[in-house]
Amino acid sequence: MWKVIYTLAGTNLLKNRKLYYPFALVTALSATIAYLFTSLSHNPHLAEVYGAKTVTLTLQFGQYIVLFTVAMMLLYANGFVMKNRSKELGIYTVLGLEKGHLLLMTLVETILFSLVTVGFGLIFGVILDKLIYAILLKTMHVKVVLVSVFQWNNALTVILYFLLIFFGLAVLNAGKLSLSSSLQLVKGQKRGEAKGRFLLLQTLLGLGILVYAYYLSLSVESPIKALPVFFTAVVLVIVATYILFHAGIISFLKWLQRRESYYYQPANFISVSNLVFRMRKNAMGLATIAILSTMFIITMIGGINIYVGGNDMIQQLEPNDFTYHYQFEKNGVATADEEAVLKEWTSQNLEQNGVPISKIVTYTFFEGIMGKMEKNHVKLLDKNRTGFSFYDINVLYVFDEASYKGMTGERLDLSSDQVAVYSKNVDFDAHQPLVIGEQSFTVKKRLPKNFAAYQTPNNMTQLFPGLILVVHDLDDVSLLTNRKTYIGVDTSLTEEDQIQRWENWQALNPDQQPASLTLSGMGSGSRVAERASTFAFTGSLFFIGIFLSVVFLMATVLVIYYKQISEAYEDRERFVIMQKVGLDEGQTKQSIRKQMATVFFLPLSFAFLHLAFAYKVLSQILLQIGIINSSLVLQVALWSCFGYFTLYLLVYLLTARSYRSVIRSN
């Protein structure tokens, strides 16, 4: 009996290969990706890379997402395969095969299938390990080294995970078979879907949830608020999408059926009737495709922008090769003599670290936080005081005219009671005096752009609303806030020499500051080191984004393929009957084409619609990370949509061919 069961299991896998091919391909690729993530996150050579801890944590986080997504894909594929084999399994029981033998046969099938697919996936992962590690180093802007260390622990981890998945699938299959009679199994594939209830109410509910989610996305003005709003909107959009595909589309189809001039045409009659007949099952698959498509596009947009826009982020954080930040005691005065002392002290530190100076810039400014503007009155807030919302604060920067000229090369010729203003989402009346504390200034000019961006580091106006003011001299303003001096230094050293110097950097000692200074804080930075640290994170994030995009794409293609094949098998007999009662081949093709195009491109339309409303909040999240190039974000979004549309169209053409092949097989 064992030999018969083993033979039947092998024969069944070969006989149903059209059903198992996509399942096998997804399983093998999933095992490959899972192994690669596991191997990379535990690669001992990665510890030698700058920022290795951040990279490892990022890879491990990505690994968990991949493993969870893989489990969901395999669960879906297994459910489809077993449902489409229910008639075959039912016939086995009718012919005399006992339930115990049937369970044993499906168990052997699962074991054989998992051994072959996971085995191939692991072998392929080991082969690609060295190449993928090199690609990871390349995305991190690190010198590429072709090394690979095979570790049995990594392989065993992946084997154990897939063993648990297939054990769960075997238990699930056994449970369904045990609870189903022979008649239920034979009719299982043809079992219809129950008619939905309260469709109009569900449609209105779905529309309400979707409109509210879109409103949340469009109402975000601050990057600080963007991330929590985004996740809330994502959950609402997912719920609304499933409701609308389940109830909204059926309601729409019912409305089409009431339009006699449209409905009672052969092609429309067949396609609409077929969709209404099984829309609940189709709706879930279509909604899943829409959600996965949206996830794929957003992941690509985020990953590419973070990676390509990394240099913008670095230039903001470190405008010069080496940077020094000095903070004076609150209300302290940085005179020209003190600035000269700071320059001298900085130069001594650079000389001590072996850094030649090719260029040096010095900017002194006020930095503080302010409340909401009322009647053109700037009111500063104490950072240490409670009682105000973090989300409602504005930032304030005040530069002198000399610093403005140094940054832009332009003269403003301000008097002591005049001010030039750049405003970021702060409303004020430029025709009225601007009141700062107890002082009143005439607004001479409204500046068109943020002149301090890429000139001074950590400019918080990228994240918060705020004002950047230019006065004739900082001594003309009395502010109880921090007075800072920034010194930026460019050097003739190569990047390799700079990073070497920074690794052995002798920082300034606050206890050894010149006696003439009254500093409350200081710090220094290196652009090369910041770039290495940033790309260690953004490069690994981009790498993970690409892999996750591949996983989401695999899931999307899997759902599309199985949905099309499932529909084809169900439609085949109906089209045979329709042709027997007079439907010609041309009308059959037209009906198939219309039905497939309508169903296939509806999820893509929803995905693009979701993206259009998510674009603003997505841009705000990228802005919070440091991606301020809005033109880059838009270009990446458009190209990502175009690329995904091309892939989607290719999948449509391939699956449409399989669909027509199944239809014509009878």
Side-chain angles (χ1 to χ4, degrees), residues 549-567:
S549 297
V550 171
V551 173
F552 293 148
L553 185 61
M554 280 198 311
T556 305
V557 173
L558 181 71
V559 174
I560 291 173
Y561 179 82
Y562 276 151
K563 187 185 73 66
Q564 294 290 73
I565 296 301
S566 175
E567 290 177 5

Side-chain angles (χ1 to χ4, degrees), residues 397 399 420-423 447 450-452 459 461 466-470:
Y397 291 91
F399 291 88
V421 183
Y422 166 76
S423 170
L447 301 173
N450 184 351
F451 62 89
N459 193 310
T461 52
L467 296 175
I468 302 180
L469 311 180
V470 182

Side-chain angles (χ1 to χ4, degrees), residues 108-214:
V108 173
E109 290 174 359
T110 302
I111 293 173
L112 290 175
F113 178 82
S114 60
L115 286 176
V116 173
T117 54
V118 175
F120 269 108
L122 283 174
I123 292 171
F124 200 50
V126 172
I127 294 172
L128 289 178
D129 192 18
K130 186 182 295 185
L131 175 63
I132 298 300
Y133 179 66
I135 293 174
L136 174 62
L137 295 181
K138 186 68 176 178
T139 60
M140 293 168 56
H141 288 206
V142 176
K143 184 179 178 181
V144 175
V145 181
L146 291 174
V147 293
S148 177
V149 178
F150 175 76
Q151 299 180 80
W152 276 108
N153 288 341
N154 297 332
L156 290 174
T157 299
V158 175
I159 291 171
L160 178 62
Y161 183 74
F162 278 87
L163 178 65
L164 290 174
I165 291 177
F166 279 99
F167 175 76
L169 296 180
V171 171
L172 188 63
N173 294 340
K176 288 183 178 179
L177 291 175
S178 299
L179 297 174
S180 301
S181 65
S182 300
L183 184 61
Q184 287 175 325
L185 288 173
V186 171
K187 292 185 176 182
Q189 190 177 348
K190 294 185 178 181
R191 231 179 355 243
E193 302 294 335
K195 183 178 178 180
R197 303 175 63 187
F198 308 110
L199 295 179
L200 181 60
L201 182 62
Q202 291 183 56
T203 301
L204 294 175
L205 176 63
L207 285 173
I209 295 173
L210 189 64
V211 169
Y212 180 64
Y214 287 165

Side-chain angles (χ1 to χ4, degrees), residues 486-501:
Y486 166 72
I487 297 179
V489 177
D490 289 333
T491 179
S492 58
L493 292 174
T494 64
E495 291 191 354
E496 290 78 8
D497 290 336
Q498 289 180 46
I499 197 71
Q500 186 179 8
R501 299 288 195 283

Side-chain angles (χ1 to χ4, degrees), residues 302-372:
I304 294 174
N305 272 292
I306 290 172
Y307 183 69
V308 177
N311 284 319
D312 274 345
M313 192 189 325
I314 295 159
Q315 192 65 35
Q316 289 180 72
L317 296 172
E318 305 290 343
N320 300 93
D321 291 337
F322 292 95
T323 57
Y324 289 82
H325 320 265
Y326 302 100
Q327 181 171 308
F328 290 85
E329 296 288 350
K330 188 168 288 189
N331 206 28
V333 179
T335 64
D337 290 339
E338 286 179 315
E339 287 186 7
V341 172
L342 279 179
K343 272 189 176 182
E344 179 62 28
W345 193 31
T346 301
S347 299
Q348 291 174 3
N349 181 251
L350 289 166
E351 183 179 353
Q352 182 182 9
N353 287 288
V355 177
I357 300 173
S358 60
K359 177 186 175 182
I360 187 167
V361 295
T362 304
Y363 304 123
T364 299
F365 55 94
F366 284 119
E367 180 188 67
I369 59 175
M370 51 184 269
K372 296 294 184 182

Side-chain angles (χ1 to χ4, degrees), residues 531-548:
R531 181 181 291 114
S533 176
T534 299
F535 277 106
F537 173 70
T538 60
S540 58
L541 201 62
F542 175 67
F543 179 85
I544 291 171
I546 294 297
F547 263 88
L548 289 180

